[in-house]
Amino acid sequence: MHMIQSPQAIQVLRDGITLDATVAWRQERESWAWVVEIGCTDFDLVEAQAHDAFEALCLAREQLEPRGWRIGVAGAQADVWPSGMAREQGGGLRAYRMSGDRVGDLVDVFEPVDPATVTTVAEQRAETERRYDEIRRSAQNR
């Protein structure tokens, strides 16, 4: 399976206006921490660091969301969230797309998507909790 490469050309959205941007990610050699950078001509470069790339992406998004920005990557869609194993073994570069009452396919967190299809980190977390509760209930009823 081929993973997408950093940096990626993406789009960002604010107030109904879509602009071109870039997202880049890397793992620091000394600390092993993941760094995510999001750049666009309409805002200063945003950088965040965390134990995995998905969490660093969430932290970068949380810097931009109060100003109305939505970041067009698959890892920002409401139905996408990484498992603990995806975070530990894969650095959080891939996450599961949840489908109905089951965990679906793995997707690249930084895969470009239409920024109109993404949500805030808080909304994504709430949706993930709701979906996992649904999956657990469904499994108990089988």
Side-chain angles (χ1 to χ4, degrees):
M1 165 142 291
H2 177 72
M3 300 229 345
I4 64 172
Q5 299 297 306
S6 174
Q8 277 293 307
I10 61 167
Q11 292 187 316
V12 294
L13 176 71
R14 184 171 82 168
D15 298 329
I17 298 169
T18 302
L19 298 170
D20 291 331
T22 59
V23 62
W25 59 96
R26 68 183 183 281
Q27 190 172 28
E28 295 290 327
R29 286 181 186 240
E30 304 81 38
S31 65
W32 294 99
W34 285 87
V35 177
V36 170
E37 298 173 336
I38 301 171
C40 178
T41 56
D42 277 34
F43 56 78
D44 291 334
L45 184 71
V46 170
E47 182 179 300
Q49 182 174 317
H51 62 282
D52 67 58
F54 182 82
E55 188 62 27
L57 172 63
C58 288
L59 294 172
R61 290 168 55 206
E62 287 176 329
Q63 292 178 51
L64 291 165
E65 288 170 358
R67 295 184 272 163
W69 291 104
R70 298 296 175 266
I71 309 306
V73 294
Q77 292 178 313
D79 62 346
V80 173
W81 198 266
S83 67
M85 188 180 295
R87 291 180 127 167
E88 287 294 319
Q89 296 181 358
L93 292 171
R94 295 177 58 76
Y96 287 98
R97 182 170 308 279
M98 290 174 273
S99 173
D101 65 351
R102 66 178 189 85
V103 175
D105 296 329
L106 278 170
V107 297
D108 288 309
V109 166
F110 297 102
E111 182 75 33
V113 299
D114 180 346
T117 68
V118 305
T119 188
T120 67
V121 173
E123 291 166 337
Q124 184 180 15
R125 242 184 212 109
E127 179 64 10
T128 297
E129 289 173 19
R130 185 191 72 74
R131 286 176 181 264
Y132 275 126
D133 286 345
E134 194 174 291
I135 290 167
R136 277 190 285 276
R137 278 194 305 276
S138 176
Q140 289 171 349
N141 293 331
R142 288 188 186 138

